[in-house]
């Protein structure tokens, strides 16, 4: 029995990871749920110069290996395993962990990432597509908090990248993808409100 796929998209710092995690937690009592972070599918650009990283646009869809992402999602939807990979944002290396991701049967895959709705082939695989709309100031605040705490980034560097890369790419590539979504939620509406609404919609999909 095939698995259902839910895509969660939105800008960096919009709350995608939190919403996807909360959805998986709220639904796991009724069926198998697999949380799938698309960030692990950035292209490996390790070992480059400092100048390269300063100018490399991680916020462009060109930074993602969509062919591998599609291949692995197709395997998981079919109930098959795929190799687990992890992307290290400190070294910009993508590595296989030696473990298998999946497999579940007759369950739900919740895949989240800023480019979740940017690729037509990935969108075609989805049973439900969600877009999170968030205020730009809120996204900057969350990005600063995450990158400084988890990736040891300098606050000024985070701000420069946000205004030079993150927001221009968001406006060009990600925000227009809202039109491809089945459901749009506001990040500022409160997690409980959005979670209740989306859980009900996914329950309808499963039934």
């Amino acid at each position: 029995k095939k698995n259902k796929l839910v895509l969660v998209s939105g800008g960096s710092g919009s709350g995608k990871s939190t919403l996807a995690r909360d959805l998986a937690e709220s639904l796991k009592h009724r069926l198998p749920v697999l949380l799938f972070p698309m960030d692990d599918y950035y292209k490996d650009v390790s070992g480059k110069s400092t100048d390269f990283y300063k100018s490399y646009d991680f916020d462009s869809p060109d930074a993602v290996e969509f062919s591998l992402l599609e291949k692995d999602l197709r395997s998981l939807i079919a109930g098959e395993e795929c190799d687990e990979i992890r992307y290290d944002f400190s070294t910009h290396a993508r590595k296989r962990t030696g473990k298998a991701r999946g497999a579940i049967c007759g369950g739900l895959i919740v895949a989240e990432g800023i480019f979740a709705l940017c690729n037509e082939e990935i969108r075609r695989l989805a049973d439900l597509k969600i877009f999170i709309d968030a205020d730009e100031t809120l996204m900057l605040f969350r990005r600063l908090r995450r990158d400084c705490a988890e990736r040891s980034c300098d606050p000024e560097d985070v701000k420069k990248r946000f205004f030079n890369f993150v927001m221009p790419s968001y406006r060009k590539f990600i925000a227009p993808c809202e039109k491809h979504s089945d459901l749009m939620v506001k990040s500022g509406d409160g997690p409980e409100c959005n979670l209740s609404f989306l859980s009900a919609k996914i329950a309808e999909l499963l039934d």
Side-chain angles (χ1 to χ4, degrees):
K1 189 177 180 181
K2 289 187 176 182
N3 299 302
K4 301 285 188 181
L5 173 65
V6 173
L7 297 178
V8 181
S9 180
S12 178
S14 62
K16 303 177 305 302
S17 300
T18 299
L19 180 61
R21 186 170 58 247
D22 290 347
L23 277 174
E25 186 67 24
S26 70
L27 293 165
K28 70 178 185 180
H29 68 282
R30 60 176 293 169
L31 80 168
V33 181
L34 178 64
L35 197 56
F36 188 91
M38 292 185 172
D39 280 359
D40 290 322
Y41 288 79
Y42 277 103
K43 295 175 182 176
D44 189 317
V45 288
S46 57
K48 305 293 184 181
S49 67
T50 301
D51 288 339
F52 173 88
Y53 294 124
K54 286 182 179 179
S55 60
Y56 186 76
D57 190 358
F58 289 95
D59 295 280
S60 165
D62 291 337
V64 177
E65 192 169 341
F66 282 107
S67 58
L68 178 60
L69 175 59
E70 180 188 352
K71 174 180 174 292
D72 285 355
L73 281 175
R74 286 187 181 276
S75 295
L76 294 171
I77 290 170
E80 302 167 357
E81 292 182 345
C82 69
D83 290 342
E84 184 182 69
I85 58 176
R86 285 286 181 264
Y87 192 86
D88 187 336
F89 284 92
S90 62
T91 62
H92 309 294
R94 192 182 69 209
K95 298 179 181 179
R96 298 184 185 276
T97 66
K99 301 177 182 178
R101 194 192 296 274
I104 58 174
C105 185
L108 183 71
I109 302 163
V110 182
E112 58 88 11
I114 60 175
F115 303 119
L117 302 183
C118 288
N119 182 274
E120 184 178 359
E121 298 304 316
I122 302 298
R123 293 197 303 267
R124 286 178 179 174
L125 298 176
D127 297 280
L128 185 67
K129 302 179 291 293
I130 301 168
F131 186 88
I132 303 177
D133 182 31
D135 179 79
E136 293 182 9
T137 302
L138 177 61
M139 288 194 287
L140 173 59
F141 170 76
R142 289 174 172 169
R143 177 102 178 192
L144 276 166
R145 183 175 59 186
R146 183 200 67 187
D147 286 2
C148 294
E150 299 178 13
R151 301 176 185 175
S152 302
C153 294
D154 178 83
E156 290 305 314
D157 289 340
V158 174
K159 290 178 183 178
K160 287 179 182 178
R161 180 163 288 276
F162 185 84
F163 291 114
N164 292 336
F165 292 101
V166 177
M167 288 317 301
S169 293
Y170 172 76
R171 293 166 185 153
K172 182 177 180 179
F173 300 115
I174 301 169
C177 288
E178 180 188 335
K179 65 185 178 185
H180 298 302
S181 67
D182 302 305
L183 298 170
M184 190 274 285
V185 296
K186 289 278 189 180
S187 185
D189 286 347
E192 297 82 5
C193 175
N194 286 331
L195 183 61
S196 177
F197 169 70
L198 292 175
S199 296
K201 289 295 182 182
I202 293 174
E204 292 176 10
L205 170 70
L206 297 172
D207 292 337

